[in-house]
Amino acid sequence: MKKHRLWLFFSKTTDLFTPFKPSKMKIIKIIGLLLITISCKMASAQDDPAEITAISKDDSAQLSTFLTVNNVNACYGNYSMLSQAIRYNASKCFALLVEKGADVNKVCNGYVSPLMHAAKYGRLDMIKVLVAKGANIDFKYSGEYIAANGETPLTYAEKYKQTAVADYLRSLKNKN
């Protein structure tokens, strides 16, 4: 009986904790599922393009080895490299991309602009750079992404409770 008490698992069918001994087949299935999950996660990490991997690590030196005039504005799914740098809060890669001429208004596959990404994530320093480089503060999203439909960078900042960003964007609108 002591052996069975070692195998306490959560059970939906009886009391909250019921001692039982799992079969070898159940253990094999659990281990198999764990191995599949781990290998899928490893494969998906390896599937990221080298540029995105460098951005996710904020490795501007590595990113600079891949960056060209032809791909500085490339889209990776719904995100430009600049939007990815904003999402990952990769400040060194962000600075490099801006320096190399990344389009601060680039929209990929009808998704939101880099300024809206920065507004959502509260990246005020990045927003100031984007605005200085000509980001459209009056951009109004209209597309398939329902969560952002009709939103502007200001309303997006307000929606995600990014007060400092919203105050800054509001101050820019008041100047105009």
Side-chain angles (χ1 to χ4, degrees):
M1 191 64 171
K2 285 185 182 182
K3 260 187 178 177
H4 294 277
R5 291 184 193 268
L6 293 174
W7 298 97
L8 286 178
F9 287 89
F10 186 74
S11 173
K12 294 179 187 174
T13 56
T14 60
D15 298 335
L16 193 59
F17 291 99
T18 304
F20 72 85
K21 183 177 180 181
S23 68
K24 287 181 183 179
M25 194 54 146
K26 283 184 183 178
I27 292 173
I28 290 170
K29 284 181 183 179
I30 291 170
I31 291 171
L33 287 173
L34 284 171
L35 290 173
I36 290 169
T37 302
I38 290 169
S39 65
C40 286
K41 287 187 185 258
M42 289 173 64
S44 69
Q46 292 170 352
D47 289 344
D48 279 344
E51 297 90 331
I52 303 307
T53 301
I55 291 170
S56 72
K57 297 175 182 176
D58 199 13
D59 188 345
S60 59
Q62 184 69 23
L63 179 60
S64 68
T65 64
F66 302 110
L67 204 55
T68 68
V69 173
N70 296 327
N71 73 357
V72 72
N73 290 309
C75 292
Y76 297 87
N78 291 335
Y79 308 101
S80 66
M81 282 194 278
L82 190 60
S83 287
Q84 289 285 23
I86 293 165
R87 292 176 68 230
Y88 283 111
N89 200 19
S91 57
K92 291 182 272 186
C93 290
F94 174 85
L96 176 66
L97 289 162
V98 169
E99 175 189 316
K100 296 294 183 182
D103 181 352
V104 297
N105 292 304
K106 177 73 175 179
V107 173
C108 293
N109 298 320
Y111 202 53
V112 300
S113 68
L115 186 58
M116 288 187 72
H117 283 292
K120 176 181 180 177
Y121 294 109
R123 313 278 197 249
L124 184 56
D125 290 341
M126 292 177 177
I127 287 173
K128 289 178 179 179
V129 172
L130 292 170
V131 169
K133 293 291 185 176
N136 181 2
I137 64 170
D138 295 317
F139 175 86
K140 188 170 187 176
Y141 179 77
S142 176
E144 294 179 18
Y145 182 52
I146 295 170
N149 212 13
E151 301 278 357
T152 66
L154 173 59
T155 62
Y156 219 45
E158 291 170 339
K159 178 179 183 174
Y160 288 99
K161 300 183 184 347
Q162 302 295 345
T163 309
V165 169
D167 290 345
Y168 175 73
L169 292 171
R170 208 174 288 109
S171 77
L172 295 175
K173 287 203 168 266
N174 290 338
K175 287 181 183 177
N176 294 338

